[in-house]
Amino acid sequence: YSHIGIHESMIKDRVRTDAYREAIMLHQKFIEGKVVMDVGCGTGILSVFCARAGAKRVYAVDASEIATQASEIVKANNLADKIVVIHGRVEDVDVEEKVDVIISEWMGYMLLYESMLPSVLFARDKWLKPGGLILPSHATLFMAPITNSDRYEGSVDFWCDVYGINMSALVPLAKKFASEEPSIEIVGGENVISWPFVVKHIDCYTFTVEEFKSITTTYKVSSMMLAPIHGFGLWFEVEFNGPAESCSNLSSDSSPLDIIQKKRRRASDSTVVLSTAPEDEPTHWHQTILYFPDPIGVTQDQIIEGSVTITPSEENPRCLNIHLECS
Amino acid sequence: YSHIGIHESMIKDRVRTDAYREAIMLHQKFIEGKVVMDVGCGTGILSVFCARAGAKRVYAVDASEIATQASEIVKANNLADKIVVIHGRVEDVDVEEKVDVIISEWMGYMLLYESMLPSVLFARDKWLKPGGLILPSHATLFMAPITNSDRYEGSVDFWCDVYGINMSALVPLAKKFASEEPSIEIVGGENVISWPFVVKHIDCYTFTVEEFKSITTTYKVSSMMLAPIHGFGLWFEVEFNGPAESCSNLSSDSSPLDIIQKKRRRASDSTVVLSTAPEDEPTHWHQTILYFPDPIGVTQDQIIEGSVTITPSEENPRCLNIHLECS
C-alpha cells in the first residue's frame, strides 16, 4: 500500500470517495467535537474529511510507508493540531483516549479478500466508546448466477476456429485458465440471471472475528431467463448508519422482496450506501466472478440451489477459500 | 508462454497475425515445397500458415509446455505429415536437414525486451541454407520525444488538489513511480513531437548477436511544436523481404526524408510491414514510454539531441538497461 498507483485508483473512484464524504457530512452533528480513529488511513483523505467536518482529534493509523506522506499532507493542510498520524498496525498502537468514531475503508474484492475487517473489529473492541459510530456500519455480500456469453465465446469457443485452424486442443487450457481463480471484472445488470442472495450481512457494531472464520450459506434462486450460467458473481454494498439507527438487516434468509423493499426504503431515507453491484455505477472493486469450466443451461423459472462457504486460507489469512455447490 | 491468455492476446492482435499471414502468402512461391523452421512456434499458427502455403516440412520449435498443444493442433488439422513439433530450445534441437525458411515472431516490447532474436540468429547460423528466407527480414527500432499532458496531469499534478486537499506531498512519489520504469501504453501520433529517429536497424540476414550486446546511437531532432516533453517513446516495425531483395536500410544516420521516402516506396511496393508506431493501428505491443520525472518545455524548431544506449542486463539478459541522454 505504499504504491502510489493504488491510492490514485482508490481516490479516483468517485463512487467510493464521494460515498465516504457524504457519509461524514450526514453524520457531521455526531462527529463535531469528537475523537475519530481512521483505520488504514492511506493518504489520510478520510481523516481530513473528518477534521473538516469538525472532529476534535483524528488518529490516522496506517501500517504502510504511506503514513509518512499522510503526515506531510496533514501539515500542508494545517491540520497538524487535529490529526495525529500513527505509522503502525492498529493492533499495536497506543493512543491516550477512547474514540467516538471509527472510520475505515477496509473492503477488498468481494468484500472480504485482503480486507482489513479484522483490524476494524480489533479497533472497535479496544478503542471505541459505548454508543460510538462506525463508518461504514453494515456490509452485505451478495451473490447471483451470471451469464456472460461474450466472454466465454471470446476466450473458450474462440479456439475452435482461429483463422480457419481448429485449435480446440487449447479449449481445456482455456477453461482451466478461466475457472481456476476468481476473475475481477465488470459485468452489467443484464448478466445477472436471478435475484441475488445474501451470502453474509455484517453489522460492524456486533460482528466478531470468530464469525469471519467460516461464512456459509445455502441459497435457492430462480432463473429469470433461458440462458447458460457461466458462473457466479459476487459483489457487496456497505451502509453508513449511526449506532442508534435500527437497520433492517438482510440475512441469507432474506427474500428478493426484502432486498427490493430495503433498496426502496433507503432511497427515501437519508442514508448513504456504497454499492458495487452490477446494476450500479462501476467502482474500482468491479465484481468478482467465479467461472465454471463449462456453462450450465437453465430455463426460465428453473431453481438453482446449493451452498457457498468462504473461509480464510490457512496459509495466508488475507486470502480466501471459496467452496461453491450448485445444482 | 504456456499461459493460454498470452497466446489469446497475440493471436487476437490482427495487425500482427494478419501481417504474418500476408507475408507468408507474398512469399508463397519461395515457400512451396521447401523446409521451414518456426522458432518459438507457440500454438503453431505460423507453422500451419506455412504448411497451408505449400511447405514440404515445417519444424515447429518451442521451449514452453505449449508445444504439447501445438502438436495436438497439428494433428487435428491433418498436418502431422508436414509439421514436426519439437518441444525444446532451438539451441538444443537436432533436425535431419537444413532449412530454406526461418519464420519467427520474436519481437518483444520496444522490439528487444524479452525478445527471442538471439535464438533466431542462432537458428539462422546453424540451420538456414545459403540464400534462405528469414521472416521477418528486417526490424527497425524508432524513438522520438513525446508529450502527454493528460497522463502527466492525471497522475502527477492530480495530487495538488484532491477534493480541495493539498496532497502535493505525494508528487515526488508519483514522479518516481511514473519515471522509474518504462511504461507500456498506447500513445497517438499527436503525442509525438518530432520526426522519429532510428535507434537500430536490424538486418536479420546479417545481424550478429555480438551487435546486440550494446546498441547505441546519437540523435538530433527538431521539435515540431511548442510543448512540454514528458519523455521518449519507443516503437518498432518489421519487414518481410526476401533474401535477394535489396532493402533500402535505415540507420541512425537516416534523415526524416529517408524515413518518409521509405514509407512511400513501401506503399507502392509489394512488401509487408508490421508497424507498432503511434500513428498506426494499435497492437498488443503498444508503445514503450520512458517518462521523465519532470517535463521539459521546448519551442517549435528547438533542437533536442543526445544519445541512447541499450544493453542487455547482466543479471537477466532478456531484460534491458536503457541509458538516455538528452539536452
Side-chain angles (χ1 to χ4, degrees), chain B residues 234-309:
Chain B
L234 290 137
W235 60 87
F236 65 89
E237 56 179 44
V238 297
E239 291 175 67
F240 297 85
N241 300 314
E245 294 163 61
S246 71
C247 172
S248 61
N249 288 353
L250 295 172
S251 74
S252 44
D253 298 327
S254 300
S255 70
L257 195 63
D258 293 336
I259 297 175
I260 305 165
Q261 285 184 335
K262 190 172 156 82
K263 269 212 160 175
R264 282 223 190 96
R265 204 160 45 238
R266 271 193 336 225
S268 60
D269 285 1
S270 62
T271 182
V272 175
V273 178
L274 164 54
S275 167
T276 68
E279 69 270 22
D280 292 318
E281 200 181 334
T283 70
H284 79 285
W285 285 283
H286 302 357
Q287 287 84 37
T288 300
I289 316 294
L290 314 176
Y291 280 106
F292 298 156
D294 290 287
I296 300 169
V298 291
T299 56
Q300 190 172 344
D301 299 327
Q302 190 171 345
I303 298 299
I304 304 154
E305 58 186 331
S307 65
V308 60
T309 301

Side-chain angles (χ1 to χ4, degrees), chain A residues 97-155:
Chain A
E97 58 193 324
K98 292 249 175 177
V99 305
D100 304 285
V101 180
I102 288 177
I103 191 164
S104 179
E105 200 276 73
W106 53 265
M107 299 85 74
Y109 292 126
M110 55 172 284
L111 189 63
L112 300 173
Y113 176 69
E114 293 200 337
S115 104
M116 285 195 304
L117 180 59
S119 296
V120 173
L121 302 181
F122 180 95
R124 177 198 66 191
D125 293 342
K126 185 164 181 183
W127 298 109
L128 189 66
K129 287 181 196 169
L133 173 67
I134 305 180
L135 297 177
S137 59
H138 300 84
T140 311
L141 177 61
F142 294 96
M143 195 165 179
I146 63 116
T147 185
N148 197 352
S149 292
D150 287 353
R151 151 109 188 198
Y152 191 81
E153 285 158 15
S155 65

Side-chain angles (χ1 to χ4, degrees), chain A residues 311-321:
Chain A
T311 45
S313 155
E314 289 190 6
E315 300 96 72
N316 180 353
R318 297 185 81 202
C319 292
L320 300 172
N321 291 319

